[in-house]
Amino acid sequence: MANEEDDPVVQEIKPKQQKVELEMAIDTLNPNYCRSKGEQIALNVDGACADESSTYSSKLMDKQTFCSSQSTSNTARYAAALYRQGELHLTPLHGILQLRPSFSYLDKADAKHREREAANEAGDSSQDEAEEDVKQITVRFSRPESEQARQRRVQSYEFLQKKHAEEPWVHLHYYGLRDSRSEHERQYLLCQGSSGVENTELVKSPSEYLMMLMPPSPEEEKDKPVAPSNVLSMAQLRTLPLADQIKILMKNVKVMPFANLMSLLGPSIDSVAVLRGIQKVAMLVQGNWVVKSDILYPKDSSSPHSGVPAEVLCRGRDFVMWKFTQSRWVVRKEVAAVTKLCTEDVKDFLEHMAVVRINKGWEFILPYDGEFIKKHPDVVQRQHMLWSGIQAKLEKVYNLVKETLPKKPDGQSGPAGLVSGDQRVQVARSKAQQNHALLERELQRRKEQVRASTVLPGVRIKEEPVSEEGEEEEEQEAEDEEPMDTSLGGGLHSRLANGLPGGRAAGGDSFNGHPPPGCAGTPVARELRAFVEATFQRQFVLTLSELKRLFNLHLASLPPGHTLFSGISDRMLQDTVLAAGCKQILVPFPPQTAASPDEQKVFALWESGDMSDQHRQVLLEIFSKNYRVRRNMIQSRLTQECGEDLSKQEVDKVLKDCCVSYGGMWYLKGTVQS
């Protein structure tokens, strides 16, 4: 202890980054695996007796460890490139690690060998000695460990190695290249912009370009008056990139009409570039732009009032913003009851975007901007899709019941206010008259179709009386059908408070997003058919929930104004799947399943044109009668139906295309509930 304290620390060298170790299993059943070598290595490492501390518990080298090393110190000149549809997408890299095999098991084998040699030498010498010599033992008590000695011990290489060895392994799940989750993560490598105007770094005004060529001298910088750190003049603001200008303005103002934003940025700024930039930092509420919650509450921040993390604050503020997309008024107590946040946090949310009215609640701070809604329908449509996703997340987090959610205001073309009882009666009466006239026209049209069909020779048609009550039932069925989040309207003659046109989907006289009869050759149907066929050629088996998620990802990658934005309902999507050569597999889910109705609808590609179609059809028939199956049952059924002894590779291919393994059992993709 005294020698250690007298020895000062000259220099401390700390590693720049921790090592990453990856342990992967070795396929011991592979014909290329040498079993004798594996047994010999396991015997050298663990010895003859295996216990819990053994490296290879199966007495066979069945795993290999890979250790990371830093391949390069400067990663600023490297990027990951992805080429798609004539566009090159570059993603900067912040670190590159190279995994190499680790041969630490050889060190353990050498240590075991030295221990055995030492034991043999000790045994030989003990036989020569008749009796061990009696030695005197001196007992010493060490002094308490000082703080400096403890610090040296903690920072020592031996302590760090011991701590690293005690660190538990983290089990990872591997997703293949064609898996839907891999495709979802791969979407982050694609830039969402469809033109070069979005890259504001490459678009500079003449004054900005001149400033880059001839920056001001240090003497001129010193002559400028010193402003507070949180104050930025308009002259200084316009020297920044356009994206930073928009972010700073929205972060300080929080709510702003688009026309005011354009006036602050200057007349030389392109409105298209501003529209692309504003959608990254703000959301559209009643035709105005409100700064996003994650801009005000960064990831590692917390509430100054209650100390709750930023994630909870962002979720609560998103709920307030979503409420204002439904109505002009919000009650603070209702928000606090749903979000479970303190009064000060909820008040901060409301003060960002609303003003309080005595005995009425909180009203949105800006009037409804109908001019922007009419001028930019593609932006409004994209924002509606984003709000639909946020609404679904809020319903799941806060356990909101759909029946209790506020309905979208009907016929709202301007700012909504308090509506009296007489006004509501008048609106309801006008709606009833409009619906009655619509039903009359539909009834007349159907009667004309019946008359025209009776003229055809040799065709007998049974005419049934069509009453207004029957028409109302059909109309109610069309209204009760819930569309996908990609549809634009919620009902006849309706309009969202967020400025989204409601009613029928564009492209024909359709209800709730369904195309009229005989429109299978429309551009929307062709685009949807192409998406469904390409998706099932890659996945083979999909639930309706997973198919809708992939479709929303596909929509997000399309340019504004694409034909698929006209509104696709669940029924239209399912009809297209069945028309594309797929079949619905009626999987017998257990009674206690937690799967949603969309997750219980399973579709599979029946014929893909390859050699494995017959094998997949047999496999799908098995799962139409069983929720989960063992591999040996699948193997025997395939052999029985196909009339030949299939190889392991063929069975593995069929299982990989259609199934997933969990807990020793096989399930169809998307049906397993862990």
Side-chain angles (χ1 to χ4, degrees), residues 419-572:
V419 182
S420 62
D422 295 337
Q423 292 176 345
R424 292 182 179 178
V425 172
Q426 294 177 2
V427 172
R429 189 172 298 166
S430 63
K431 280 187 180 181
Q433 294 175 357
Q434 293 174 0
N435 291 336
H436 181 72
L438 179 65
L439 294 175
E440 286 289 344
R441 290 196 299 269
E442 184 68 17
L443 176 62
Q444 188 65 25
R445 185 180 63 83
R446 294 194 179 189
K447 287 182 178 180
E448 292 177 357
Q449 291 179 352
V450 172
R451 294 193 193 99
S453 61
T454 56
V455 180
L456 298 176
V459 179
R460 299 181 59 187
I461 298 177
K462 179 182 178 182
E463 296 187 6
E464 295 182 357
V466 183
S467 62
E468 294 184 2
E469 181 179 357
E471 291 288 337
E472 293 177 357
E473 291 178 357
E474 293 181 2
E475 183 72 20
Q476 185 64 32
E477 290 178 0
E479 292 178 356
D480 291 340
E481 181 183 345
E482 183 180 358
M484 287 177 59
D485 293 340
T486 58
S487 61
L488 292 179
L492 292 173
H493 308 287
S494 64
R495 183 183 296 272
L496 287 177
N498 200 19
L500 294 171
R504 306 183 182 192
D509 187 14
S510 60
F511 291 90
N512 203 17
H514 291 292
C519 70
T522 60
V524 177
R526 289 195 298 268
E527 290 285 343
L528 184 60
R529 176 72 175 265
F531 163 76
V532 169
E533 290 178 350
T535 302
F536 274 93
Q537 284 291 341
R538 296 192 305 266
Q539 304 289 343
F540 293 102
V541 176
L542 285 171
T543 62
L544 180 59
S545 175
E546 181 67 10
L547 181 61
K548 289 164 65 176
R549 187 184 71 83
L550 294 176
F551 182 68
N552 287 330
L553 283 176
H554 179 64
L555 285 180
S557 64
L558 296 177
H562 197 272
T563 56
L564 285 181
F565 286 113
S566 58
I568 305 298
S569 66
D570 287 3
R571 180 177 295 178
M572 184 176 180

Side-chain angles (χ1 to χ4, degrees), residues 52-126:
E52 296 180 356
S53 62
S54 300
T55 304
Y56 304 110
S57 57
S58 62
K59 295 184 178 181
L60 196 68
M61 184 181 178
D62 55 355
K63 58 186 177 181
Q64 174 69 50
T65 304
F66 293 85
C67 186
S68 68
S69 62
Q70 190 174 5
S71 60
T72 178
S73 59
N74 183 16
T75 60
R77 44 195 292 263
Y78 294 97
L82 187 63
Y83 186 79
R84 177 171 294 185
Q85 296 180 358
E87 296 178 349
L88 183 62
H89 301 260
L90 297 178
T91 303
L93 299 179
H94 299 286
I96 302 176
L97 294 180
Q98 182 178 8
L99 290 175
R100 297 179 178 178
S102 175
F103 302 97
S104 57
Y105 59 88
L106 297 179
D107 298 336
K108 295 182 180 179
D110 292 341
K112 291 280 186 181
H113 180 68
R114 287 194 294 268
E115 289 178 0
R116 286 194 294 268
E117 288 184 350
N120 293 334
E121 293 177 359
D124 295 339
S125 61
S126 61

Side-chain angles (χ1 to χ4, degrees), residues 115-358:
E115 289 178 0
R116 286 194 294 268
E117 288 184 350
N120 293 334
E121 293 177 359
D124 295 339
S125 61
S126 61
Q127 293 177 2
D128 298 337
E129 296 177 1
E131 184 179 357
E132 294 184 356
D133 297 335
V134 179
K135 298 182 179 179
Q136 183 179 0
I137 299 176
T138 304
V139 180
R140 296 181 180 179
F141 296 94
S142 61
R143 292 177 297 174
E145 187 179 22
S146 62
E147 183 64 22
Q148 295 181 353
R150 191 188 69 82
Q151 290 290 341
R152 286 197 298 270
R153 180 176 59 83
V154 169
Q155 296 178 1
S156 64
Y157 176 78
E158 182 180 355
F159 182 83
L160 293 177
Q161 286 294 105
K162 181 180 179 182
K163 187 176 180 181
H164 177 71
E166 294 175 353
E167 184 178 355
W169 288 93
V170 178
H171 296 278
L172 303 178
H173 183 74
Y174 173 76
Y175 293 99
L177 182 63
R178 298 170 60 184
D179 193 88
S180 59
R181 293 185 180 271
S182 300
E183 183 178 354
H184 175 70
E185 294 295 330
R186 204 177 300 117
Q187 292 292 329
Y188 289 108
L189 297 177
L190 297 177
C191 179
Q192 299 299 324
S194 59
S195 66
V197 182
E198 184 181 5
N199 192 350
T200 57
E201 294 293 333
L202 303 179
V203 180
K204 297 292 184 182
S205 63
S207 59
E208 293 174 342
Y209 183 66
L210 183 61
M211 184 66 68
M212 293 173 60
L213 292 178
M214 300 178 62
S217 60
E219 291 77 10
E220 294 179 0
E221 294 290 338
K222 294 180 180 178
D223 295 339
K224 293 182 179 180
V226 180
S229 58
N230 60 342
V231 177
L232 191 66
S233 65
M234 292 302 298
Q236 294 174 330
L237 181 67
R238 291 181 179 178
T239 60
L240 301 176
L242 180 59
D244 295 340
Q245 295 184 43
I246 297 174
K247 182 177 180 180
I248 292 173
L249 287 174
M250 292 305 304
K251 187 175 181 180
N252 286 274
V253 182
K254 297 181 178 59
V255 183
M256 189 186 305
F258 185 74
N260 291 13
L261 178 62
M262 289 298 300
S263 63
L264 291 175
L265 294 175
S268 62
I269 302 299
D270 184 16
S271 61
V272 178
V274 178
L275 275 176
R276 296 184 183 277
I278 190 65
Q279 295 184 64
K280 296 180 180 179
V281 297
M283 297 290 294
L284 191 65
V285 178
Q286 299 189 23
N288 302 281
W289 292 99
V290 182
V291 65
K292 289 184 177 181
S293 302
D294 54 358
I295 302 296
L296 296 179
Y297 303 106
K299 186 176 181 181
D300 297 330
S301 62
S302 59
S303 170
H305 306 293
S306 58
V308 297
E311 181 182 0
V312 180
L313 293 176
C314 292
R315 193 163 55 228
R317 189 174 180 274
D318 287 345
F319 177 76
V320 175
M321 293 170 62
W322 173 77
K323 291 281 287 184
F324 276 119
T325 64
Q326 309 294 313
S327 174
R328 288 283 300 177
W329 300 88
V330 169
V331 180
R332 180 177 55 83
K333 291 184 179 179
E334 294 180 1
V335 176
V338 173
T339 60
K340 302 295 189 298
L341 293 173
C342 68
T343 306
E344 290 79 6
D345 289 335
V346 177
K347 188 176 179 181
D348 286 347
F349 300 157
L350 294 170
E351 287 178 348
H352 291 168
M353 62 192 82
V355 291
V356 64
R357 307 295 186 190
I358 300 177

